[in-house]
Amino acid sequence: MITFLSGGTGTPKLLLGMKDLLQEEEIAVIVNTAEDIWISGNHLSPDLDTVMYLFSGELDTGKWWGLREDSFITYDALQELGYEEFIKIGDRDRAVHIARAKLISEGLTLTDATRLLCRKKGIHAIILPMCDSEVTTMVRTPRGLSHFQEFWVKYHGEEEVLGVVRECSTHPMATDKVISVIESSDAVVIGPSNPVSSILPILECGGVREALSEAFVIGVSPFIGNSPVSGPAGVLMQSIGLRPDSYGTLEVYEGLVDLFIHDIRDTLTIPDSLTTDTLMVNPEKSRELARFILKLINER
Ligand code: GDP
């Protein structure tokens, strides 16, 4: 089995290639939940949703979130009533958020709720939230602290970033299932996700770093040169004192990764790292990067 640490865009692009090359049952994905948010009483878990929809074959791979060809009847009707949600949630996507909220309100953990939703959607990959307690990435801007989703979706990531704070009432602990998939994997891949808002929250869960230290870990950079392929990784890295590039990414993963891959277009020279084309602009490019990584794992 191979385990992936994932956010909601870069690593899912890699998983798109992986799922064509591996049996789904051989894939486990530990997913960031620090971007989760309750909206209109329902539970959005943006990264879990994206990974689930990827494996169910329903993901809108134009946007890398939401369901393909979803309708927006409820969103529009709410707007007519003068109630504007700041995320444009589709109807079938909303159904998942309603079901998740209901399962959690009935006392299920997020892990069990996810397992049930995956079963309903016929998913065979193991998809695990990083923990079962609530953790939220807050972005400090001149306006004050904003939920990551507000910073990125409502304010379009345009505000100056002064820092990043993780809010939680109890220190998040990795679930037993998270630790057990890491321990039973042939390799763990830290995909090309945002190091600050997607990967660090997973690494901060109690037990994850210790489990990874015993595993064969490959890290993939989400940067090409001084820019991420998409999203706010650059400003978030700088706000916590890190370089917005592959060096900065490796610094986040220092001591954890056995192999580090960054893009062939990078002009940086990083000792002992590997370079290849990491830009996944279509499914074949995703498969190419997946093949490159699987070869490294098989040759180990
Ligand atoms: P989020 O939860 O939507 O922020 O998604 P992730 O954290 O999983 O992914 C965001 C990161 O993916 C960004 O930092 C991007 O630079 C990176 N990314 C997106 N597409 C690609 C790609 O094709 N190649 C690489 N190397 N990184 C990518």
Side-chain angles (χ1 to χ4, degrees):
M1 185 162 63
I2 303 179
T3 292
F4 296 82
L5 308 193
S6 183
T9 307
T11 307
K13 285 186 187 175
L14 175 61
L15 289 166
L16 179 74
M18 287 288 176
K19 77 187 189 62
D20 284 348
L21 305 177
L22 295 169
Q23 297 291 325
E24 254 192 55
E25 292 80 358
E26 294 177 273
I27 299 176
V29 192
I30 300 171
V31 184
N32 169 46
T33 57
E35 290 173 30
D36 288 16
I37 188 165
W38 291 81
I39 290 193
S40 307
N42 306 322
H43 188 128
L44 269 81
S45 189
D47 296 353
L48 272 177
D49 288 339
T50 292
V51 174
M52 280 196 326
Y53 303 158
L54 174 77
F55 282 99
S56 65
E58 299 168 291
L59 181 66
D60 179 342
T61 50
K63 297 190 296 191
W64 287 91
W65 63 271
L67 294 145
R68 230 179 19 245
E69 291 163 20
D70 208 348
S71 56
F72 293 88
I73 296 166
T74 308
Y75 176 84
D76 291 341
L78 283 168
Q79 249 188 344
E80 281 164 24
L81 294 171
Y83 180 75
E84 174 119 26
E85 290 174 326
F86 75 90
I87 301 180
K88 192 169 178 189
I89 301 163
D91 295 314
R92 283 168 48 242
D93 196 10
R94 187 184 299 274
V96 170
H97 305 157
I98 293 172
R100 184 185 289 119
K102 187 161 163 40
L103 292 168
I104 290 173
S105 71
E106 285 168 1
L108 262 72
T109 60
L110 184 57
T111 301
D112 287 342
T114 305
R115 190 167 42 85
L116 259 172
L117 291 171
C118 285
R119 194 189 304 154
K120 292 279 181 202
K121 286 195 169 284
I123 296 168
H124 298 290
I126 301 170
I127 300 177
L128 299 170
M130 63 186 196
C131 66
D132 278 329
S133 59
E134 284 194 14
V135 193
T136 308
T137 296
M138 305 292 288
V139 180
R140 194 180 297 287
T141 71
R143 242 181 349 97
L145 280 177
S146 284
H147 189 291
F148 178 84
Q149 291 295 328
E150 269 193 343
F151 160 75
W152 185 238
V153 182
K154 188 170 178 180
Y155 295 101
H156 314 290
E158 284 165 354
E159 295 174 302
E160 185 191 355
V161 178
L162 305 172
V164 175
V165 176
R166 218 84 66 200
E167 271 184 3
C168 50
S169 51
T170 52
H171 183 76
M173 297 302 292
T175 60
D176 292 346
K177 289 198 168 70
V178 161
I179 299 301
S180 127
V181 290
I182 294 175
E183 285 175 351
S184 54
S185 285
D186 300 310
V188 175
V189 178
I190 305 180
S193 281
N194 187 324
V196 181
S197 57
S198 295
I199 303 298
L200 267 178
I202 303 176
L203 299 179
E204 285 164 7
C205 290
V208 169
R209 281 182 176 273
E210 293 74 5
L212 287 179
S213 68
E214 302 292 318
F216 175 62
V217 183
I218 299 179
V220 186
S221 175
F223 283 91
I224 300 183
N226 291 321
S227 307
V229 175
S230 58
V235 284
L236 296 186
M237 294 280 277
Q238 282 172 308
S239 79
I240 61 166
L242 293 168
R243 285 173 53 161
D245 58 20
S246 296
Y247 266 124
T249 303
L250 183 55
E251 217 174 307
V252 177
Y253 306 153
E254 198 66 68
L256 288 180
V257 290
D258 297 282
L259 293 176
F260 183 68
I261 300 168
H262 64 114
D263 196 86
I264 194 119
R265 299 165 189 81
D266 256 353
T267 47
L268 303 167
T269 312
I270 303 181
D272 302 326
S273 68
L274 299 161
T275 56
T276 190
D277 185 355
T278 71
L279 192 57
M280 295 170 281
V281 288
N282 57 45
E284 183 45 32
K285 285 287 177 189
S286 294
R287 278 190 294 271
E288 261 177 38
L289 181 57
R291 258 184 233 113
F292 181 83
I293 293 170
L294 291 178
K295 190 160 179 281
L296 292 172
I297 295 169
N298 291 333
E299 283 170 356
R300 189 193 152 207

